Amino acid sequence: MRKIVTALAAAAVAAGTLAVAPAATAVQPDGPGYAPPPIKWGPCSAPGLAKAGAECGFLAVPMDYAQPSGETVQIAVSRVKHKTAKFQGVLLVNPGGPGGSGLGLSVLGRNVPKHAGDSYDWIGFDPRGVGSSKPALTCDGNYFAPARPAYVPKTPQLETAWRARTKGYAEACAKNGPLLEHIKTTDVAQDMESLRKALGQKQINYYGFSYGTYLGQVYSTLYPDRMRRMVLDGNVDPRKVWYDANLDQDVAFDRNIKIYFDWLAKYDNVYHLGKTGSAVEQLWYAQQRKLDRAPAGGVIGGDEWTDVFLQAGYYVFGWEDMAKAFDGWVHRGDWQTLKALYDKSNAPGDDNGYAVYNAVQCTDAQWPQDWDRWRRDAWATHTRAPFETWSNTWYNATCLNWPAKPGKPVDIDGSKASGALLISEELDAATPYSGSLEVRKRYPRSSLVSAPGGTTHAGSLSGVSCVDDKVADYLATGALPKRVRDDRSDVQCAAVPQPVPSPVASGAQQKADAAAKAAAEEKQSLLAGLLRF
């Protein structure tokens, strides 16, 4: 599901002031397998990276690691070097998706408190097929152009229309050729291993958000001795890759949108959308039905309406913007603001993220090939969780006709891993909390930080000091919170706070909210373009 953003760049440190890595930590590419050529570093063209003094380049890797001398792909890589005399190695970052661009994440180190990120070389990269990597996947750039058939297939005609749309998209993706057979999470993990070799390091450190947590799980299972420190925020449940994970999401997003409706009701004096969560919910679904019948401006139908508010199930950061759009539509007929929010998450003409999402999800594991099962599961789930179920079903239904063979998921085993810091808000909808508990079981030297009652997905480094300080302590010293014996989190922190609308917030509250929003938006802007995890 979706994530966002671009950040302010910190003042760059002149290259001559950077300390050289101790010789003991640098090694030549080692071990069997592919030996990558050196990365040719140069200036970055992206303004944020350039302002931060980042270097950019490409890593050449085999399209198929079984044929290391065959066709190659180019992985776009960025680097912000360490700023202290003590060098703790390279730290790779992945924002999730799958399909999220991570090239800009080499500047994320500045978001870590206490300058704890300054002793690392932060490495951002676009996974194979993504963004600036070559080739980049695309199938149909107009696939999300509004308005589309209603998500909920209340008639046979709607079901037929959506099945044809998803099949057509899958068929359009076939033009990408052999890369579709080599874009599994295991392929990206092998690319990370090639990146480690190209950087001349014995081990890597890693920070993964959302789907990026699964990538970290796979890498640390395949190469346990190569992982030094690992932060996983918003943990994918390795038991549910990927069909069952999406059914869990349907239920969790329905719960979270109700929490958002309750928040809107709490501030009915500002938005005038209903004095109870139930009243707001009724109004929201009434507008969805209205837009299904007659899309506003010819472009905002019931589907687009749903997609605009999906963000509320992920994060609290955009709640006010969505509330103003809801208010503006209901009371003043303002559909342009809704369209702007829709385009923000669905850039017109750009389907790269969605194409990669499908390419990874449809081939990491075998999806059910019986449409009757999909239909039964979707209707059964929709009955109790109508907000997102059919949208999510159609989002993934390309896997019924995907033009590449699926593999088998890796059996995630963290028993040999040196440790990990796990983070999760307990009402995270995209990666439900049960997944973090499962990962904790599989990584016996890990510790889990949770936020009871929190609905924000992958919310670390968003300004909550209890969470962010534990990230800083771990990156600085390797110290983890003491692990408890029970099947629960090891330490609990406050959640990313729900916003207080500016018309009713005190001056002090507005100032605090503005600071929190700035921190959250900077981090979220770095996690730009994320899709379904």
Side-chain angles (χ1 to χ4, degrees):
M1 308 204 135
R2 290 176 205 242
K3 262 200 212 167
I4 349 195
V5 178
T6 349
L8 287 184
V13 178
T17 67
L18 295 178
V20 177
T25 64
V27 296
Q28 295 299 312
D30 58 338
Y34 177 68
I39 298 170
K40 295 180 180 179
W41 296 103
C44 299
S45 59
L49 287 171
K51 189 175 180 181
E55 302 171 297
C56 286
F58 287 93
L59 171 71
V61 296
M63 180 175 291
D64 180 359
Y65 277 90
Q67 300 181 25
S69 61
E71 187 175 356
T72 62
V73 297
Q74 303 291 316
I75 308 300
V77 185
S78 68
R79 175 174 67 180
V80 171
K81 289 186 175 180
H82 62 286
K83 302 173 177 65
T84 64
K86 180 182 179 182
F87 178 52
Q88 297 217 56
V90 298
L91 195 156
L92 279 61
V93 194
N94 182 272
S101 170
L103 191 64
L105 287 178
S106 56
V107 304
L108 189 64
R110 65 172 178 238
N111 290 51
V112 181
K114 308 176 187 178
H115 296 282
D118 291 356
S119 57
Y120 294 87
D121 284 358
W122 288 74
I123 309 297
F125 66 101
D126 282 351
R128 54 175 58 204
V130 175
S132 297
S133 290
K134 302 173 184 180
L137 291 186
T138 182
C139 304
D140 176 1
N142 295 315
Y143 188 70
F144 289 98
R148 296 160 291 154
Y151 280 140
V152 182
K154 296 179 180 178
T155 67
Q157 292 80 10
L158 283 171
E159 180 178 316
T160 298
W162 268 109
R163 290 197 66 188
R165 276 180 65 87
T166 58
K167 182 179 181 182
Y169 188 84
E171 291 172 345
C173 289
K175 68 184 180 184
N176 291 284
L179 182 57
L180 293 186
E181 300 286 351
H182 305 289
I183 198 165
K184 301 174 181 67
T185 301
T186 48
D187 294 300
V188 181
Q190 287 177 289
D191 292 342
M192 287 172 56
E193 177 64 359
S194 293
L195 184 52
R196 177 194 67 79
K197 293 179 181 180
L199 294 171
Q201 299 296 310
K202 287 183 177 179
Q203 293 180 306
I204 65 167
N205 303 278
Y206 181 77
Y207 206 133
F209 299 90
S210 194
Y211 160 81
T213 66
Y214 183 63
L215 177 57
Q217 293 169 36
V218 170
Y219 181 88
S220 59
T221 296
L222 298 178
Y223 308 102
D225 59 330
R226 298 303 184 188
M227 184 67 83
R228 180 174 176 261
R229 294 176 187 164
M230 181 167 66
V231 182
L232 303 181
D233 184 5
N235 288 278
V236 167
D237 191 331
R239 299 169 298 183
K240 300 185 177 184
V241 176
W242 291 108
Y243 181 79
D244 289 339
N246 280 276
L247 290 174
D248 284 354
Q249 285 184 340
D250 298 339
V251 176
F253 272 97
D254 200 82
R255 175 202 62 216
N256 281 14
I257 199 64
K258 287 179 168 63
I259 293 172
Y260 179 57
F261 293 153
D262 288 341
W263 180 86
L264 289 171
K266 179 179 179 181
Y267 296 108
D268 182 61
N269 60 330
V270 177
Y271 303 115
H272 311 292
L273 297 169
K275 295 183 182 300
T276 66
S278 178
V280 175
E281 182 175 17
Q282 290 179 34
L283 177 62
W284 190 91
Y285 281 105
Q287 297 304 310
Q288 183 191 56
R289 292 190 295 270
K290 175 182 176 180
L291 293 167
D292 274 338
R293 295 190 297 269
V299 292
I300 299 297
D303 294 2
E304 292 72 34
W305 174 259
T306 300
D307 290 352
V308 164
F309 288 92
L310 176 62
Q311 182 80 3
Y314 275 97
Y315 314 109
V316 297
F317 309 127
W319 279 14
E320 288 186 84
D321 292 338
M322 284 174 278
K324 292 173 183 176
F326 194 170
D327 170 22
W329 164 248
V330 169
H331 298 120
R332 294 175 295 281
D334 174 13
W335 59 268
Q336 290 91 344
T337 300
L338 290 168
K339 178 64 163 54
L341 289 178
Y342 179 77
D343 287 346
K344 185 177 180 180
S345 295
N346 302 274
D350 181 7
D351 73 325
N352 174 248
Y354 183 57
V356 176
Y357 171 90
N358 280 279
V360 176
Q361 293 250 321
C362 296
T363 61
D364 264 1
Q366 176 69 65
W367 288 64
Q369 293 300 290
D370 178 7
W371 169 246
D372 287 340
R373 178 179 172 186
W374 287 63
R375 182 197 290 116
R376 287 194 305 271
D377 288 345
W379 278 120
T381 307
H382 173 85
T383 300
R384 59 194 177 108
F387 170 65
E388 172 65 7
T389 297
W390 274 106
S391 165
N392 210 16
T393 299
W394 297 125
Y395 199 91
N396 292 283
T398 51
C399 293
L400 280 161
N401 299 285
W402 194 250
K405 296 178 181 179
K408 294 182 179 180
V410 173
D411 183 10
I412 298 302
D413 179 3
S415 62
K416 297 180 182 178
S418 60
L421 179 63
L422 313 177
I423 303 169
S424 176
E425 295 212 349
E426 294 189 16
L427 297 183
D428 180 346
T431 50
Y433 182 57
S434 56
S436 287
L437 293 174
E438 179 64 22
V439 175
R440 181 179 178 274
K441 290 179 185 176
R442 297 193 185 204
Y443 285 77
R445 284 175 286 280
S446 68
S447 292
L448 171 59
V449 179
S450 74
T455 62
T456 293
H457 172 54
S460 64
L461 302 185
S462 294
V464 178
S465 59
C466 176
V467 175
D468 296 352
D469 286 349
K470 288 172 178 57
V471 173
D473 292 343
Y474 177 57
L475 292 182
T477 68
L480 289 166
K482 184 178 179 180
R483 187 173 168 111
V484 300
R485 291 188 177 184
D486 299 334
D487 182 20
R488 62 179 179 86
S489 62
D490 301 289
V491 64
Q492 297 78 46
C493 290
V496 176
Q498 296 179 357
V500 178
S502 52
V504 298
S506 65
Q509 180 67 57
Q510 288 187 40
K511 185 175 181 180
D513 284 353
K517 184 177 182 181
E521 286 184 346
E522 178 177 358
K523 180 269 191 118
Q524 287 300 311
S525 67
L526 290 171
L527 302 180
L530 288 214
L531 279 78
R532 295 262 160 176
F533 273 88

